[in-house]
Amino acid sequence: MKKHHLLFCLIIILTCGPNLQAQDQNFNASWLFYNDQVAGAESSDFDDSEWRKLDLPHDWAIEGPFDSKYNARAGGLPFHGTGWYRKHFTIPENTEGKVVRIEFEGAMYNAHVWVNGQLVGNRPYGYIGFEFDISPYLNYDGSDNVVAVRLTPEDLSSRWYPGAGIYRSVWLKIDEPVHIAQWGTYITTPTVTDTKAVVQNETKVVNKSDQSKTVSIRQQYFDPQGNEVARIEEKIEIAAQATATASSYVNVGKPQRWDLDTPNLYSATTTVLDDDKVLDSYQTRFGIRSISYNTDGFYLNGRKVRFNGVCLHHDNGPLGAAVYRRADERKLQIMKDMGVNAIRTSHNPPSRELLELCDELGLLVQDEAFDVWKLAKVENGYNKFFDQWGEIDLRDMILRDRNHPSIVMWSIGNEIIEQSDKQKGWTVAKKLNDVCKATDPTRPTSAGFNWYPAPYDNNMAQQVDIAGMNYKPTKYSEVRGNYPQLPIYGSETSSCTSSRGVYHLPIEKYQTHESLQVTSYDLIGPPWAYPPDVEFYFQEQNPFSMGEFIWTGFDYLGEPTPYGGKDNSTNGRWNGHWPSRSSYFGAVDLSGFPKDRFYLYQSQWTEEPMIHLLPHWNWQGMEGENIPVYSYTNCDEAELFVNGKSMGRKVKGKDKTTLLVDFLRYEPKTFDSPYRLSWEVPYEAGSIKVVGYKDGKAVEEKEIRTAGAPAKISLSVDRSTITADGRDLAYVTVRIEDKDGNLCPNADNLVNFSVSGTGELIAVGNGNAATTEPFQADYRKTFSGMALAILRSDPQTGKIKLKATGKGLKSATISVTTNE
């Protein structure tokens, strides 16, 4: 079958979850940390008694401080330098003769690992998981063992905030000599119908002993309700110091498919037995679903689905890069509320937790490997390691992730500089594509191309199954005409920038603003960028496109475009507009508060009636002057009222709003958007209200009132009960309100926090991209009237109480229950 010439159907069952053997131990507790160079710290007898005690995951850079001596492009935080981690532990005597491995899910970056003073290995790429067999280096007599990890992230190594430290989980694995290999199962289905699925399982088993072994491999499968639906057992022989693969299949009747609205997850148990002795047990979950692609689009379970996608960086704002499952869950839930059905893990392998959550929530994933190959974007980037590690890292990403039902394509790169290399660029792309196909032939490959037409003219786009186009909506039809057999989609779109709650008048197209903020009328962006409306239009005009992934769903640390510097500039430093130090690209700000643009996407990507209104209605001193008022809605019509007086009813799609635009490869300087309704309203204090109509009936409304002076603090929490495990989080929204409960949209009051009970305040934020206030503090100014406090549970049950106070404001208190 020639690539791109025929529909290729990919029908697969996929495992998800950590894929941990029953005896694997979470190794996150009780580490010691030192943030500087120090001689001899790898030695087992090194004196670390004065080092800081902490639990993993940990990101040392998010602790700050912000400083202009650090690169604003990477968040203005101290992510580079040297960091040491050490952990003391003992191994039971009966462990000798077994295989002991240590797994790191992510360490940023250039990790070197020692056990009892002996170097066991290194891994440079901070986003990839890895493990080492440490059996030969351990003391089995009950005496102390020490694992030491040195990380040496470099300045000018990233185009965004990478974080620092051992920021993902660590596991200690204790196995019999015969055991299942790391990421050792691979489950596919050659057939999926409504009546049955054929489940094919390939399990790689390792024999570390000096004798050949014959063992039984038992596979058991359980439906989403926990009922066993199939099992099979087979014997395999494994030579000494070798690996063998056990291959089997079963039929699963009436499969409950994994889909966007019904993300059904089965579970499986793989057991290795020597007669009746259990040598290893491997627990997974999996989902049954079919995917297919052709030049007409993407199909999930036989149904055409367009990507309503977002690009997401890996940090979680005030928490930095350290992985918290609840932080990723909240992020994804907010994205689903916007109407998102797909995530692009830009531009690196994501955490295990994020993929598990996408499996559970019914989100499609493009799993992306690299932002750079051989040619540099910043002087100390991954290009330094690509020749040695590129294929290994890509293969390991796929081995780790290939059983997740959420993943529907592999991306081998983003905006790779080799796009312009006529001789070698396409050969590197082919080599990486071949790695993907050899490791997982069930999914297509892709890459994000931004230098149209170079990657097409240079035979590079043709090396992947699906060509992603970054910021070229006006060229979709041209590419289809020139390359009719090449499936395409918007792999990165819009790049509109804005600051939540900020509105600059008059509406104008500017590069930067003296406030270091960006207007939320949703039209400002860098030279390649355009309002979301433009992408909506060209997606409609080109129904063969598989959809889009907007840049970005959430704001992220670093890369403060349009402030600071020039993209892909190898001089690297972006401090020209300090303290601007984080993204303005998100439809949601760094604290997780939706911007107006969130509702513009929601109006296109959701069906439940909604309506949104902007701007705020506090324009003292501008009485009688026209204020542009916008409404985003999925209703048929909307009517605006000012202090009870109708300003007219308008029809979506018919009554258009003229937007100022100025972006590459687009000649007009305006775009008449059918996706926004607007009115010019002379300002008078009071209220504005918009009412949405469907089939002539009022179904939704939104009202904004002119706020008085700040009078009180209001607190609300995303969950009133969380788990008492030392890792669960509660997000508290802080609002400054007038005496009547209206949000004060321009308030920047300082709020102080105090916490008591079974938890702690671990981070604060407000969504302001241009402030150096610390994230780890017991105070925060509000931005556009709002701030955020993040609480973390203790291991004990009880209640966490948060009190917020501010000068001249009525205080507020909220409590969160922590349960087992």
Side-chain angles (χ1 to χ4, degrees), residues 96 142 195 198 274 302 361 377 399 522 543 563 624 701 796:
E96 191 166 10
T195 57
V198 177
D274 183 2
L361 295 171
K377 293 181 180 177
L399 286 172
D522 295 324
Y563 301 103
E701 66 177 50
Q796 295 80 34

Side-chain angles (χ1 to χ4, degrees), residues 306-383:
R306 264 198 158 180
F307 298 130
N308 298 335
V310 294
C311 299
L312 291 178
H313 272 314
H314 73 306
D315 76 75
N316 278 303
L319 296 173
V323 171
Y324 287 86
R325 182 181 176 89
R326 174 55 191 162
D328 281 337
E329 181 181 48
R330 174 179 180 257
K331 177 189 287 186
L332 295 175
Q333 287 172 336
I334 292 170
M335 293 292 89
K336 281 183 68 74
D337 288 344
M338 192 170 82
V340 169
N341 64 14
I343 305 296
R344 180 186 179 202
T345 68
S346 49
H347 301 293
N348 47 260
S351 70
R352 167 180 55 82
E353 287 85 349
L354 186 128
L355 294 178
E356 291 175 11
L357 288 162
C358 288
D359 292 339
E360 295 168 8
L361 295 171
L363 288 164
L364 307 171
V365 176
Q366 179 191 122
D367 202 349
E368 190 154 72
F370 307 120
D371 184 52
V372 65
W373 295 346
K374 294 172 179 283
L375 301 180
K377 293 181 180 177
V378 287
E379 66 183 48
N380 292 318
Y382 180 73
N383 54 287

Side-chain angles (χ1 to χ4, degrees), residues 231-484:
R231 77 161 61 190
I232 193 170
E233 192 167 319
E234 62 174 319
K235 287 185 179 294
I236 63 169
E237 183 176 357
I238 317 172
Q241 300 296 327
T243 300
T245 299
S247 301
S248 64
Y249 75 90
V250 296
N251 294 325
V252 174
K254 296 183 179 179
Q256 302 172 53
R257 298 197 194 195
W258 185 93
D259 211 317
L260 299 178
D261 296 324
T262 56
N264 293 307
L265 292 169
Y266 287 68
S267 62
T269 301
T270 303
T271 306
V272 182
L273 301 107
D274 183 2
D275 293 329
D276 293 331
K277 181 183 178 182
V278 174
L279 301 180
D280 201 357
S281 180
Y282 199 74
Q283 307 294 328
T284 66
R285 298 177 306 172
F286 64 89
I288 300 173
R289 53 91 169 131
S290 66
I291 58 173
S292 62
Y293 298 79
N294 62 19
T295 54
D296 183 51
F298 163 73
Y299 293 81
L300 175 65
N301 294 322
R303 182 184 78 260
K304 186 173 181 178
V305 174
R306 264 198 158 180
F307 298 130
N308 298 335
V310 294
C311 299
L312 291 178
H313 272 314
H314 73 306
D315 76 75
N316 278 303
L319 296 173
V323 171
Y324 287 86
R325 182 181 176 89
R326 174 55 191 162
D328 281 337
E329 181 181 48
R330 174 179 180 257
K331 177 189 287 186
L332 295 175
Q333 287 172 336
I334 292 170
M335 293 292 89
K336 281 183 68 74
D337 288 344
M338 192 170 82
V340 169
N341 64 14
I343 305 296
R344 180 186 179 202
T345 68
S346 49
H347 301 293
N348 47 260
S351 70
R352 167 180 55 82
E353 287 85 349
L354 186 128
L355 294 178
E356 291 175 11
L357 288 162
C358 288
D359 292 339
E360 295 168 8
L361 295 171
L363 288 164
L364 307 171
V365 176
Q366 179 191 122
D367 202 349
E368 190 154 72
F370 307 120
D371 184 52
V372 65
W373 295 346
K374 294 172 179 283
L375 301 180
K377 293 181 180 177
V378 287
E379 66 183 48
N380 292 318
Y382 180 73
N383 54 287
K384 295 171 62 173
F385 309 111
F386 182 82
D387 282 340
Q388 179 180 355
W389 290 100
E391 292 183 42
I392 297 171
D393 287 338
L394 176 60
R395 184 178 296 109
D396 280 357
M397 180 190 83
I398 297 171
L399 286 172
R400 186 197 70 162
D401 296 346
R402 64 184 176 178
N403 293 323
H404 285 275
S406 55
I407 296 175
V408 295
M409 70 174 83
W410 307 114
S411 172
I412 61 173
N414 169 69
E415 299 185 352
I416 298 300
I417 302 298
E418 282 86 343
Q419 291 173 89
S420 62
D421 188 335
K422 295 181 179 181
Q423 301 301 320
K424 296 181 181 179
W426 74 272
T427 62
V428 179
K430 181 182 185 304
K431 185 179 293 186
L432 296 177
N433 184 77
D434 290 346
V435 170
C436 295
K437 294 303 183 183
T439 314
D440 173 40
T442 70
R443 291 179 183 82
T445 55
S446 185
F449 300 111
N450 65 321
W451 287 354
Y452 176 84
Y456 300 86
D457 293 346
N458 297 339
N459 196 34
M460 189 173 178
Q462 293 86 336
Q463 303 310 309
V464 295
D465 297 317
I466 305 168
M469 298 190 68
N470 287 10
Y471 310 112
K472 303 296 183 295
T474 64
K475 299 299 180 181
Y476 292 154
S477 59
E478 180 178 311
V479 172
R480 173 46 52 94
N482 292 336
Y483 305 92

